Amino acid sequence: MWFFVIGDLWIFACYFACYMRDRARNPELFQQGQELLSQGIGALNTVILLTSSLFVALCVQATRAKDIAVASRFLALGSACGAAFMLIKAGEWYLKIHAGFPESTDPFFIYYFMLTGLHMVHVALGLVILALLWRELRGAKEPRAQFAETCATYWHMVDSLWIAIFALVYLVR
Amino acid sequence: MSESVWAGRAGTPRSAGAEARLARNPKLDQWICYWSIPFFYTLFGLIFVLFGRIMPPPSPTASIEDVLEYMQAPKLGVGMALLSLTLGLASLSSGVIVVQMKRMEGISPVLPYAYLTALAVAGVPGCLFPGFVFALGNFRPEYSAQIQQMLYDLGFLSFVGSLGCFVIQYLVFAIAIFLDRRMIFPKWLGYLTIWALVTELVAIPIWITRTGPFAWDGLLSFYLGTVLFVGWEFCMCVCLYRAIKNQPVEELIGRAAAHGE
């Protein structure tokens, strides 16, 4: 999994580098676009995702301690936060599209939709991975702590990517 | 699939000579298919880079003079004719990949077929259709400038915009690798496949943007995806080589003999 995480971070680093390069070329346009985003929704989503990471970390701890009931409870909470993140993000997209923001020639909004969209794909994949962990916790006689750690590694990567996207797309002025 | 060829022959009485040949080199068919892959991609590269000049792609904002010059280069027509001849070679590589996928244990038997079909479906807009579109523009230079422009746009939108069609093929392959208990392909190839999948998704905005990194000649939508694809294909070749090499010979001969009884 670390192999995957490092490679994935590299690919996102390429996206971020391109974003910063284009932003430096056309600061006013990006500034205007950024002002149309809702920092409140972004911050809320950041908190939700950070909370889900906390739950997943607690789940790993409980799995190590072989306390499966507690581990599955934390896992359910973590997954629920992940699902909430996706719902809020979808709502935010809906509002943006409804307001007519994605003008085809506006590079900022193409970046906005692509970066957050790719991140959403990662969150969706993360939920599948958490579901596999759920199956392991509920189904296996002796749930493997290492498996839980691997799943959590991926989930924390998704979280850290979001923090970078939130900082670059919503906050940087 | 190769097994079924042997098995089919095994149904009829076989001479001792044929038996001996099969015993000597039971993987001959797979190796022939395997070595068609580098041959195919070399031809492919020559056609796309030298003849078609499709890679690296010219700009979506090229002036009409540039578009006409591009579409009427004699090399383009020759390249596209060659393309129609060579694309069929892809079936050999898909065949040998599916043979190896069918050896996997713990995966759904649907996956190798899904892989094969997804690849066949994606190959049409990703390769054959743009080839025909370019060849059409090249065939009749009297078409008005606007029609030539349309063929140019359609060719490139189909060529780069079809990257999304390959997503399912990658997904099926990655899932098969992760579920496989025999480890026919290494897990890291599965991860690499997921990256290839994600970078192909980035080609979606080429339909709405003409400039910048998400245009059809863009840094992110074209170059990043292409670099990852070339890397993936290379790793795929290495892993496929090992998979065929590590396949126990008894698996092939045993099966053929079992069918012969």
Side-chain angles (χ1 to χ4, degrees), chain B residues 221-244:
Chain B
S221 54
F222 180 78
Y223 287 97
L224 187 64
T226 306
V227 166
L228 241 101
F229 169 73
V230 171
W232 180 82
E233 194 60 50
F234 181 77
C235 295
M236 179 73 198
C237 280
V238 173
C239 294
L240 187 62
Y241 182 86
R242 286 193 196 149
I244 302 175

Side-chain angles (χ1 to χ4, degrees), chain A residues 25-143:
Chain A
R25 279 185 188 167
N26 205 343
E28 293 90 30
L29 187 79
F30 277 67
Q31 180 83 35
Q32 278 167 12
Q34 281 181 314
E35 276 163 14
L36 294 172
L37 294 183
S38 160
Q39 288 194 356
I41 297 180
L44 176 66
N45 255 345
T46 310
V47 173
I48 289 177
L49 212 54
L50 282 172
T51 317
S52 82
S53 251
L54 172 69
F55 284 138
V56 171
L58 289 172
C59 162
V60 171
Q61 235 170 27
T63 314
R64 281 197 199 119
K66 303 204 187 313
D67 194 347
I68 300 308
V70 174
S72 358
R73 200 178 316 140
F74 280 130
L75 181 61
L77 285 170
S79 312
C81 286
F85 174 89
M86 286 185 79
L87 279 177
I88 294 173
K89 192 85 239 161
E92 192 189 355
W93 277 354
Y94 176 78
L95 289 177
K96 292 281 169 294
I97 292 169
H98 212 63
F101 283 144
E103 283 173 49
S104 59
T105 48
D106 188 335
F108 174 76
F109 274 98
I110 291 176
Y111 269 115
Y112 164 76
F113 280 108
M114 283 318 291
L115 286 175
T116 55
L118 282 175
H119 182 257
M120 278 280 260
V121 171
H122 280 74
V123 177
L125 188 63
L127 287 178
V128 173
I129 289 175
L130 291 186
L132 290 177
L133 177 56
W134 177 264
R135 199 181 66 167
E136 173 84 12
L137 287 180
R138 308 302 290 187
K141 277 187 197 135
E142 190 104 333

